[in-house]
Amino acid sequence: MKEAKTGLVADNFKVLVDGKEVTPTAISGETNGEIYTITIPSLEGKAGRVSVNGTEATFDFSFPKVEGVTAINASELLVTFNKDVDVPTAQRKANYELKINDKKIGLEDILDISASGKTAKILLDPDVAFQSGDKYIIQTNDGIKTTEGKLFDKFVSDEKTFNGSLAPSLKSIKVDANGLLVEFDRPVNSYDDEDEDVTLIKIDGVAIASKDLKPVFAKEGASDVLGKAGQYTYSVPLDDEELKAASAVGTHEVVIYDVKDTASEYAKVASVLNGEYTITDEVTAPQVTGIEALNANKFFIYTNTPVTLDENTKLKVEKGNHEFKLEDSKFDGNVSTNDTLVDAVAGLHPVNKKPGIYVVVTDDVDGNDENPLYKNQL
């Protein structure tokens, strides 16, 4: 209450639920008259708006449920929920069952599930990708939870038909230390031909040697197949001369010819895709932005920009007051001596693909080192 008033009763409160007046069944107020508890008929299972004496608020006591599913392209399905999902359970493959043309799809053909908010995106292996006219049904079990720990009801979709999708479009282009990074709006075919996924790529009107697209987030054991749902960035390698020209200060135009979607038959083709990117002469100084332990003796140091390591690199790893020896001028990720020492290699994080440095601390295998990695120190 804006002003404390004692002794109020039901007649003093006008309660509307979704615009309809409801009668309070009980009223109780604190002794100072500032707070009142109004009991009304149960709203369990409902969502909407409630108003008390003109002051409105929303409520959502609806039961968790799957609202729908649709194939958003030839390789992905989007499952929509009415409440925010618990990511681990929403990304568990065993909580879903998919049939295409009445054939059950094995869990091994679900390459990835990416969940966020009220959606989960399911990525399929190219071997089971849709083609126009395919019929599909998806169901979920009762193992998926909300962020509050409540279980979603089981769900079985109606049979739906995949009617094809649009040809791929280009979202962005940039250059990294190895070549182009090209982002599309959907998965593209990067696997039918080992070396020629597209007909031609030009930078500033000059054809480059490569016609190969490699997904940045690739399927484990198959570098030419996309392995992460919702991530549509592909790399295009450039040789030294091409990379030098592509990295020159200024705006560069890129043209890619004949980019196919992932439909198993009659793929949609973008005949010509145009994009551009700009290189400035501003230099970004490398900085450490974070550290993550990958396992017992391997760490990843995040940097704000890709880095290179050479004989001039200075890297210090300490435990307490003991400094581990850095194997001089050796940054290939392999350690060849028995002393506890440090080795490092620049690269991308294995999961999120952010730039940084792998650091490996290796103990004496015979236990003779005076200060192994996990020896107690005071």
Side-chain angles (χ1 to χ4, degrees), residues 10 20 56 62 105 117 125 141-142 178 189 215 277 280 306 332 337 370:
K20 296 182 179 181
E56 289 193 352
S62 58
I105 302 303
D125 190 274
N141 61 23
D142 58 1
N178 300 305
N189 192 315
Y277 63 93
T280 69
D332 61 4
T337 71
E370 64 177 8

Side-chain angles (χ1 to χ4, degrees), residues 32-62:
N32 61 8
E34 290 183 352
I35 298 175
Y36 282 82
T37 299
I38 305 172
T39 304
I40 62 175
S42 174
L43 299 176
E44 186 179 17
K46 300 177 181 179
R49 298 190 66 83
V50 62
S51 168
V52 179
N53 291 352
T55 300
E56 289 193 352
T58 60
F59 66 91
D60 186 356
F61 304 115
S62 58

Side-chain angles (χ1 to χ4, degrees), residues 331-376:
F331 296 108
D332 61 4
N334 297 309
V335 176
S336 58
T337 71
N338 287 331
D339 293 333
T340 296
L341 48 78
V342 177
D343 196 20
V345 58
L348 300 178
H349 189 280
V351 177
N352 59 40
K353 304 302 180 183
K354 293 182 178 180
I357 304 168
Y358 290 96
V359 177
V360 181
V361 181
T362 302
D363 285 349
D364 173 7
V365 295
D366 296 321
N368 298 320
D369 190 347
E370 64 177 8
N371 200 317
L373 179 60
Y374 291 109
K375 182 178 180 180
N376 290 332

Side-chain angles (χ1 to χ4, degrees), residues 82-298:
N82 71 332
K83 295 182 181 294
D84 288 348
V85 297
D86 165 64
V87 171
T89 57
Q91 292 184 168
R92 191 171 298 147
K93 297 178 183 180
N95 286 335
Y96 302 84
E97 182 178 298
L98 171 65
K99 289 184 178 180
I100 301 178
N101 298 327
D102 208 32
K103 180 182 178 181
K104 183 177 178 180
I105 302 303
L107 295 183
E108 69 277 5
D109 288 323
I110 296 178
L111 298 186
D112 184 58
I113 301 174
S114 177
S116 176
K118 294 181 174 66
T119 62
K121 192 174 290 186
I122 301 173
L123 175 66
L124 303 178
D125 190 274
D127 289 341
V128 297
F130 293 109
Q131 62 173 304
S132 185
D134 279 348
K135 310 288 186 182
Y136 64 94
I137 295 175
I138 192 168
Q139 67 181 58
T140 64
N141 61 23
D142 58 1
I144 303 174
K145 299 179 181 179
T146 70
T147 52
E148 297 175 343
K150 297 179 180 179
L151 291 172
F152 286 93
D153 287 338
K154 294 180 179 180
F155 169 82
V156 181
S157 73
D158 296 331
E159 183 179 76
K160 295 192 171 188
T161 302
F162 178 70
N163 292 316
S165 59
L166 300 175
S169 64
L170 197 57
K171 292 188 68 177
S172 70
I173 301 176
K174 58 184 177 181
V175 174
D176 69 0
N178 300 305
L180 296 179
L181 290 176
V182 184
E183 183 184 6
F184 300 97
D185 69 332
R186 67 195 61 228
V188 301
N189 192 315
S190 58
Y191 43 80
D192 272 353
D193 192 300
E194 184 174 348
D195 298 315
E196 296 190 3
D197 298 319
V198 297
T199 302
L200 186 66
I201 301 175
K202 289 183 178 181
I203 303 177
D204 298 329
V206 179
I208 64 173
S210 179
K211 303 173 184 178
D212 191 26
L213 302 174
K214 283 285 190 291
V216 172
F217 297 89
K219 173 185 175 182
E220 185 175 355
S223 63
D224 57 346
V225 175
L226 182 66
K228 189 166 182 61
Q231 300 291 336
Y232 315 132
T233 300
Y234 295 75
S235 64
V236 178
L238 299 176
D239 63 31
D240 291 344
E241 289 300 317
E242 292 170 342
L243 185 59
K244 182 179 179 180
S247 302
V249 174
T251 298
H252 300 267
E253 296 181 350
V254 177
V255 185
I256 308 176
Y257 296 86
D258 300 325
V259 180
K260 303 185 291 289
D261 82 347
T262 53
S264 57
E265 298 287 344
Y266 310 109
K268 294 292 180 64
V269 181
S271 298
V272 180
L273 292 177
N274 295 278
E276 64 178 36
Y277 63 93
T278 300
I279 302 293
T280 69
D281 56 3
E282 296 178 0
V283 177
T284 301
Q287 293 181 344
V288 173
T289 60
I291 300 175
E292 177 184 345
L294 299 179
N295 56 38
N297 71 323
K298 190 173 185 179

